[in-house]
Amino acid sequence: MTKKIFRSICMAAMIVFLISLALIMGALYGYFSNIQMRQLHIQADMAARGVEEGGIRYLEELDEGDCRITWIDPDGRVLFDNRAGSLEMENHLEREEIADAIIRGKGESKRYSTTLLERQLYVAVRLCDETVLRLSSSQQTWWSLALEMLQPIALVALAAVGISFFLAFRLSEWIIRPLNDLNLDEPERTEAYEEIMPLLHRIGSQQERLRLQEEEVQRRKNEFESATKNMREGLLLLNEHGTVLSLNDSASEILGITQYCVGKDFLLFYNSEDIQEQLRAAQGGKHTEMIVCLDGSNYQINASPVIFEGRVSGIVLLIFDISEKEKAEQMRREFTANVSHELKTPLQSISGYAELLCEGMVKSQDVPRFCGQILSEARRMVTLVEDIIRLSRLDEGAEGMPKETVDLYELAALTVRNIAPAAGDAGVTINLEGRSVKVKGVPVLLETILFNLCDNAVKYNCRGGSVTVHVGGCKKEGRECAIVSVSDTGIGIPDSDQERIFERFYRVDKSRSKAVGGTGLGLSIVKHAARVHDAQIQVESAVGRGTTFTVSFPLKKRITD
């Protein structure tokens, strides 16, 4: 814009200069023409008086200078001419200035000579004897005068051009400075030309709209990033050509790529025939799914096209870790098989004993024993079904079960009293030690945890062994915790089995477990009940030396009576 203003000012200055020069030259030319004509009138009057007094001798002796003097009689015949022979000249009676002089006493005229490129000025005066004396002088034309003054005109023009350039440069800077100083962040507060204030108001309103739109876009971007960042699933956004537009942290971790791939072709970082086929199908507008194995885990990749205005404008890749799902499905199948097997065994026993009784194949003295076996197996089935129902309820999060303030020491004392008869029958002594600690929990589930741990400690102990139940508190990871530990001097658990003892229907010693009436679900129930209370379970065991189970309950605040 500065250059345009500069050129405009220079052009305007040049045009004004040329027009002014032409006007000045025209005015000066007319002014000097008038002066020259007046001088010629004076000379003509003086020469007329000289001729009237001295006759032709005066003309012959006169130093005429640049003037041409012609003396004409009343008939138009030339009597004298200082530039040419009078006899060779034509009649001058019809000349304009001669005719005017004969009639009015004085006349003048101007004639242009195309051959000499100059103009002639004529002044004629009538004498007393009716003859006419004419003086003429040459006057340069406008163009010849301009050519003679070319040097000074050129100097003036150069000076004018230099001044014009300087002024144009300064003026353009002065005009542009307020525009360069505009504060486009706050255009309406800027002092500028009145003519551009409507533009500034419009810019201000547009900036306000852009600011609001930018805030909205940033808000949506932050929401999108927050949502995708905390997703366990991997998410990639590609354009229609397969260039990565965005990916979350889960996708980076799963695929082993970084944010460096943004703006680059996805196939440069993760290329396989399956993914190529998926991308081609998505580019064709089709939704596809496939399962891949990465680092020992199974993932499902869903490729969905983004349709905009009837064409594919992008591709969304969503990556699910289905290892847990497959593991859960495997566990469900195993659980179903185990339940079927656990129920089938007592049912077969009950069916067999009942069939023998019905067929009358049992001696009368053996009937009580057979009925006792049927009752034992039925009780075992009831216990198994109750444990399964309890586990199913715990799987659902124990919703609807109210929490109360429970004293773990009192609950442990009640459990020890209830299990003491069974411990006495097994030849095991059971002791309680510690102090009162209160937690917020579900009493039934807390009782289940204590009963199952104590029951297992008695069942898998040795005759003459002991069980110690300890209730107390400790600090763990900077938090106050209530702890319950159950230690026994039993058979112990091998290191290879310690990670699986909480699985459903898992038994370390299957023969002993069935002999003592275990369902294989006790520790699974303990684990789920502890999870409801955000508690942690630790196991310390050595084969032949015993086992210690420790359950830690976090205390959010101190509970008092």
Side-chain angles (χ1 to χ4, degrees):
M1 186 174 180
T2 304
K3 293 181 178 179
K4 188 173 183 179
I5 293 175
F6 175 78
R7 288 194 296 267
S8 299
I9 294 175
C10 289
M11 186 176 295
M14 292 297 101
I15 292 173
V16 170
F17 171 74
L18 293 175
I19 293 174
S20 299
L21 181 63
L23 293 175
I24 291 172
M25 290 293 292
L28 288 177
Y29 186 74
Y31 174 73
F32 287 120
S33 296
N34 293 333
I35 290 178
Q36 189 175 2
M37 183 62 77
R38 285 197 298 270
Q39 290 178 349
L40 194 60
H41 274 278
I42 295 171
Q43 292 176 349
D45 291 338
M46 293 177 62
R49 286 194 293 269
V51 171
E52 288 180 345
E53 293 178 0
I56 195 171
R57 189 191 309 175
Y58 173 77
L59 294 175
E60 292 174 351
E61 296 176 355
L62 181 63
D63 184 7
E64 69 280 1
D66 293 334
C67 291
R68 180 178 181 179
I69 302 173
T70 305
W71 190 17
I72 306 159
D73 67 6
D75 297 330
R77 186 171 56 85
V78 177
L79 300 177
F80 176 80
D81 190 280
N82 62 343
R83 297 290 174 86
S86 57
L87 298 177
E88 299 173 356
M89 299 180 67
E90 60 184 6
N91 192 288
H92 283 46
L93 188 62
E94 294 181 357
R95 303 292 172 88
E96 179 184 357
E97 68 278 4
I98 302 299
D100 289 342
I102 293 173
I103 298 172
R104 300 184 181 90
K106 204 170 198 179
E108 65 178 36
S109 67
K110 300 175 182 178
R111 287 191 291 275
Y112 179 75
S113 175
T114 56
T115 56
L116 298 177
L117 295 178
E118 59 182 17
R119 190 169 63 166
Q120 294 291 328
L121 303 180
Y122 297 94
V123 176
V125 179
R126 187 182 61 191
L127 303 182
C128 295
D129 57 359
E130 298 300 327
T131 59
V132 178
L133 183 66
R134 186 186 69 176
L135 274 71
S136 67
S137 176
S138 298
Q139 182 185 29
Q140 290 181 321
T141 61
W142 193 93
W143 291 106
S144 61
L145 181 62
L147 289 174
E148 288 186 2
M149 297 182 66
L150 184 61
Q151 183 176 0
I153 289 175
L155 294 176
V156 172
L158 289 175
V161 169
I163 294 172
S164 298
F165 276 36
F166 176 77
L167 292 178
F169 179 74
R170 291 297 183 184
L171 285 173
S172 59
E173 282 189 341
W174 179 75
I175 292 171
I176 291 297
R177 186 177 296 115
L179 300 180
N180 291 333
D181 294 340
L182 288 177
N183 183 6
L184 295 180
D185 294 330
E186 297 179 349
E188 296 182 352
R189 298 184 180 181
T190 304
E191 294 183 2
Y193 299 117
E194 183 178 355
E195 291 79 4
I196 65 172
M197 289 308 296
L199 175 62
L200 295 180
H201 291 316
R202 188 176 183 86
I203 292 175
S205 62
Q206 289 181 345
Q207 284 188 339
E208 181 64 19
R209 287 197 297 271
L210 289 174
R211 184 183 64 80
L212 294 176
Q213 292 175 358
E214 184 179 2
E215 290 178 355
E216 179 66 16
V217 170
Q218 187 63 36
R219 183 184 65 80
R220 293 185 179 182
K221 179 182 177 183
N222 293 337
E223 291 177 353
F224 177 78
E225 289 180 350
S226 299
T228 57
K229 186 176 182 180
N230 297 318
M231 287 174 56
R232 294 182 59 188
E233 297 80 11
L235 177 66
L236 287 97
L237 300 180
L238 314 178
N239 66 8
E240 66 272 22
H241 304 296
T243 301
V244 180
L245 302 178
S246 175
L247 75 161
N248 63 355
D249 294 341
S250 297
S252 298
E253 184 178 353
I254 293 171
L255 298 177
I257 57 179
T258 65
Q259 294 290 336
Y260 173 76
C261 68
V262 175
K264 299 178 176 62
D265 193 339
F266 175 63
L267 295 178
L268 294 175
F269 303 90
Y270 187 81
N271 190 5
S272 68
E273 293 184 1
D274 293 336
I275 199 67
Q276 287 182 16
E277 291 180 3
Q278 264 202 312
L279 292 182
R280 280 195 293 267
Q283 288 170 347
K286 297 181 180 179
H287 174 81
T288 58
E289 298 179 0
M290 74 173 185
I291 297 176
V292 297
C293 182
L294 299 172
D295 296 331
S297 299
N298 292 327
Y299 293 91
Q300 177 179 320
I301 301 179
N302 294 354
S304 302
V306 178
I307 309 297
F308 180 73
E309 294 183 351
R311 67 179 187 87
V312 177
S313 60
I315 301 171
V316 178
L317 292 181
L318 198 58
I319 308 172
F320 300 90
D321 186 353
I322 59 174
S323 299
E324 291 295 329
K325 180 181 177 182
E326 292 183 343
K327 184 178 179 182
E329 183 65 21
Q330 179 64 26
M331 290 179 63
R332 186 190 64 79
R333 289 193 295 266
E334 291 180 357
F335 179 72
T336 302
N338 288 331
V339 169
S340 301
H341 176 73
E342 293 293 334
L343 289 175
K344 181 179 179 180
T345 301
L347 281 174
Q348 286 177 340
S349 297
I350 293 171
S351 177
Y353 290 135
E355 185 178 354
L356 291 174
L357 288 172
C358 289
E359 296 292 334
M361 300 177 65
V362 180
K363 297 179 181 180
S364 57
Q365 64 269 24
D366 293 330
V367 170
R369 183 171 62 85
F370 273 66
C371 289
Q373 289 291 336
I374 291 174
L375 180 61
S376 176
E377 294 294 337
R379 285 175 176 173
R380 181 183 171 192
M381 285 182 59
V382 170
T383 302
L384 180 62
V385 171
E386 288 177 347
D387 286 347
I388 292 173
I389 292 173
R390 190 178 291 112
L391 267 177
S392 298
R393 190 171 183 184
L394 291 175
D395 282 338
E396 296 174 359
E399 294 183 1
M401 302 181 72
K403 290 187 177 182
E404 302 175 4
T405 301
V406 180
D407 191 323
L408 289 178
Y409 188 83
E410 293 181 359
L411 189 61
L414 178 61
T415 304
V416 169
R417 286 195 300 270
N418 291 336
I419 210 168
D425 294 341
V428 176
T429 59
I430 183 166
N431 302 306
L432 173 64
E433 60 183 32
R435 59 184 177 84
S436 175
V437 179
K438 295 181 179 181
V439 297
K440 192 84 170 179
V442 181
V444 176
L445 297 183
L446 294 174
E447 183 181 359
T448 300
I449 293 173
L450 286 167
F451 180 82
N452 278 286
L453 291 178
C454 292
D455 186 53
N456 284 345
V458 171
K459 288 178 178 179
Y460 296 98
N461 214 318
C462 302
R463 182 166 290 276
S466 64
V467 175
T468 301
V469 180
H470 176 82
V471 179
C474 70
K475 263 193 173 181
K476 192 173 183 180
E477 297 180 355
R479 296 181 63 183
E480 293 288 340
C481 293
I483 62 169
V484 175
S485 66
V486 178
S487 303
D488 64 63
T489 58
I491 61 175
I493 304 172
D495 292 341
S496 59
D497 294 324
Q498 289 182 16
E499 293 183 357
R500 301 192 61 189
I501 58 176
F502 294 102
E503 295 180 9
R504 301 173 187 187
F505 298 107
Y506 186 81
R507 297 179 177 92
V508 177
D509 188 345
K510 295 181 175 60
S511 61
R512 183 182 179 97
S513 178
K514 289 186 178 181
V516 297
T519 63
L521 296 175
L523 289 180
S524 294
I525 294 173
V526 170
K527 176 183 176 182
H528 283 73
R531 184 182 299 168
V532 171
H533 294 85
D534 295 328
Q536 295 181 352
I537 304 178
Q538 290 182 339
V539 181
E540 295 179 4
S541 183
V543 176
R545 298 176 59 183
T547 304
T548 298
F549 285 89
T550 303
V551 185
S552 303
F553 298 89
L555 298 177
K556 296 182 179 179
K557 61 180 180 180
R558 186 178 180 82
I559 301 175
T560 57
D561 293 334

